[in-house]
Amino acid sequence: MAVTWNSAKRTNGIVRYGLDSLRLKQQVESADIKVKGGNDSSYNYKAEIKNLNPGTRYYYQCGSEAGGWSAVYTFKTAPIPGKKGKYTIGVWGDTQNNAGNLAFEQTSKIVDQLAKFPLDLSIHMGDIVENGSVENSWFDFLKIAQPVTSKAPFMPVVGNHDVVNNIDQINFQKPFQIFYNSFQLPNQYLNYSYDYGNVHFVAINSGFAQGAAKVGKVLLHQNSPDYIWLEKDLSAARKNKNVTWIILYTHYPVYSFGVSHIQEWQHNLSPILDRYKVDLCLSGHRHVYERHKAIRTNAEEDLKFGSYYDHSNGTVYITNGSSGGSLQGVGGFNMSSIVFTPKEKTFTYAIMTVDGNSIHYDVYDQNDHKIDFFKIVK
Ligand SMILES: [Fe+2]
């Protein structure tokens, strides 16, 4: 388990942890050099706790004698690979601090709701902040998100607002240094995968697709290193007997109403999602919630009952981009693959429960009203 935190003091950084909240007997020291960020008031710390037991609840706090200690928090480690259980995953996206959410006030309401659930992890669809180069935005987000991120791993992808969007810069479509300082993610942070019980999660960087399209730099074009990595990863996951579900998430949708999706991906990404039977493809970017029929080879599968995907052959595509950033209005009613989207502008988040051979997906608004649900069974 990786723990990252910020402190106003530059000192040594320690995570104390243990099985008993009153006796945090073990400790690990932050290995990283502390990086000053934001308004000169914060240093990033990062520590990795190793040799933990699977499926076990631990308690921890971070800080130091010189800098002071945090409160005691708790996390549960991942189950052994392949174990079927009931896993609760928070799904949120587009928390960006733009007009109406400048201090993450809308996101804060979403965080309050998410934190009530017994989350095993939360996945974020990107556009975490409005302008990734503004370091204080990240610190503000981290403060607001703490009730969720302190108790379950936070596994984000980056959105177009989180990355360098100037095509002349060498780091075009890559995140700013503060992203690397603030989180700890597998495989160099951008395209990565991990197993949780019987679920294989795949997280994909979609960069700044609108800008990239103009200069032929859309990510995941066929035979690019990222594409080859993805195909290899999906192929291995589908052959793995421990994996029931493959859930892929990325910032830009493959299918969505309007112009928010990446057109090119319908021709080069969809075929490999089809081939390896990806069950769910989650995204954000467009600030709405949208649920589509299962899609295979660019054709819609039949959905006999409105909320029940029964042994479907296709991938279910969801846009989940309304956890704080300015809502972009309604729409999508005239797109044939859309099964549900709210009739009004609505901030949302989702709770995905993977329970053996079924997935329940419940979508809530800021006021805790369930606005949609569906179930996938195989
Ligand atoms: Fe976006």
Side-chain angles (χ1 to χ4, degrees):
M1 184 67 71
V3 181
T4 67
W5 71 100
N6 297 321
S7 169
K9 287 208 174 158
R10 183 180 181 129
T11 170
N12 57 332
I14 291 166
V15 176
R16 298 203 287 216
Y17 64 99
L19 297 169
D20 180 338
S21 63
L22 299 174
R23 297 174 65 199
L24 306 176
K25 290 200 297 190
Q26 289 171 283
Q27 70 172 51
V28 59
E29 190 144 352
S30 172
D32 271 25
I33 188 82
K34 294 64 132 174
V35 180
K36 189 189 279 192
N39 53 4
D40 289 354
S41 66
S42 210
Y43 295 88
N44 299 118
Y45 292 82
K46 188 182 285 194
E48 211 174 291
I49 314 174
K50 294 183 174 169
N51 299 317
L52 298 170
N53 293 321
T56 304
R57 180 157 298 287
Y58 288 88
Y59 297 86
Y60 73 101
Q61 66 179 167
C62 46
S64 69
E65 293 302 334
W69 294 99
S70 75
V72 175
Y73 299 102
T74 180
F75 63 76
K76 196 177 163 194
T77 51
I80 55 167
K83 186 176 163 66
K84 289 186 177 179
K86 198 168 180 181
Y87 307 126
T88 306
I89 299 120
V91 184
W92 46 333
D94 298 81
T95 48
Q96 65 204 75
N97 46 331
N98 59 8
N101 193 41
L102 292 172
F104 293 101
E105 55 269 40
Q106 306 300 338
T107 300
S108 175
K109 294 179 198 167
I110 299 283
V111 167
D112 288 347
Q113 303 293 345
L114 272 172
K116 289 180 191 165
F117 290 88
L119 300 177
D120 290 298
L121 61 148
S122 85
I123 60 177
H124 191 297
M125 304 295 114
D127 282 357
I128 297 168
V129 298
E130 170 70 6
N131 182 344
S133 71
V134 180
E135 293 192 328
N136 280 334
S137 296
W138 296 92
F139 293 124
D140 290 346
F141 172 79
L142 292 166
K143 272 184 211 160
I144 292 287
Q146 185 171 293
V148 171
T149 56
S150 61
K151 73 174 187 179
F154 177 68
M155 306 299 279
V157 286
V158 281
N160 51 301
H161 286 265
D162 303 318
V163 300
V164 175
N165 61 10
N166 180 344
I167 55 166
D168 297 326
Q169 288 192 15
I170 193 157
N171 286 332
F172 179 54
Q173 309 204 81
K174 294 206 171 120
F176 300 87
Q177 186 57 41
I178 190 164
F179 178 81
Y180 296 100
N181 296 343
S182 300
F183 305 110
Q184 173 100 344
L185 299 164
N187 193 33
Q188 289 149 10
Y189 291 67
L190 298 182
N191 299 299
Y192 63 89
S193 66
Y194 53 98
D195 291 340
Y196 198 95
N198 62 335
V199 189
H200 183 71
F201 287 97
V202 188
I204 294 297
N205 174 27
S206 52
F208 172 41
Q210 295 107 321
K214 290 177 193 152
V215 289
K217 287 191 173 175
V218 172
L219 295 170
L220 286 164
H221 56 87
Q222 260 162 3
N223 300 321
S224 66
D226 293 351
Y227 183 93
I228 291 164
W229 173 86
L230 176 63
E231 174 149 38
K232 210 170 149 190
D233 183 86
L234 293 176
S235 169
R238 225 357 127 212
K239 283 185 202 141
N240 184 346
K241 290 197 166 42
N242 283 333
V243 172
T244 309
W245 300 99
I246 300 179
I247 298 174
L248 183 144
Y249 56 104
T250 185
H251 182 62
Y252 281 84
V254 181
Y255 296 94
S256 75
F257 174 72
V259 294
S260 302
H261 57 278
I262 303 179
Q263 193 76 35
E264 201 177 311
W265 280 9
Q266 293 181 4
H267 304 291
N268 63 356
L269 193 60
S270 291
I272 55 173
L273 269 53
D274 292 344
R275 194 175 316 143
Y276 302 108
K277 295 186 165 38
V278 171
D279 298 286
L280 258 177
C281 178
L282 308 174
S283 63
H285 189 56
R286 188 169 154 73
H287 295 179
V288 295
Y289 168 73
E290 265 180 23
R291 172 160 65 92
H292 294 253
K293 291 178 185 169
I295 296 175
R296 185 171 176 77
T297 53
N298 286 311
E300 296 153 21
E301 297 267 309
D302 238 12
L303 185 63
K304 285 185 194 125
F305 309 101
S307 289
Y308 191 31
Y309 300 81
D310 185 5
H311 294 81
S312 170
N313 283 318
T315 303
V316 178
Y317 290 85
I318 306 291
T319 305
N320 223 126
S322 39
S323 301
S326 307
L327 295 172
Q328 284 166 322
V330 296
F333 294 105
N334 58 357
M335 184 177 177
S336 66
S337 65
I338 291 186
V339 185
F340 178 82
T341 188
K343 290 192 171 66
E344 296 169 348
K345 290 182 179 182
T346 310
F347 291 105
T348 70
Y349 66 96
I351 297 294
M352 173 164 63
T353 310
V354 182
D355 190 358
N357 289 347
S358 67
I359 291 178
H360 300 251
Y361 200 98
D362 295 308
V363 185
Y364 298 90
D365 70 11
Q366 268 180 322
N367 302 315
D368 217 11
H369 296 130
K370 196 186 285 192
I371 61 158
D372 189 35
F373 73 95
F374 65 90
K375 186 175 178 180
I376 309 178
V377 173
K378 65 161 78 182

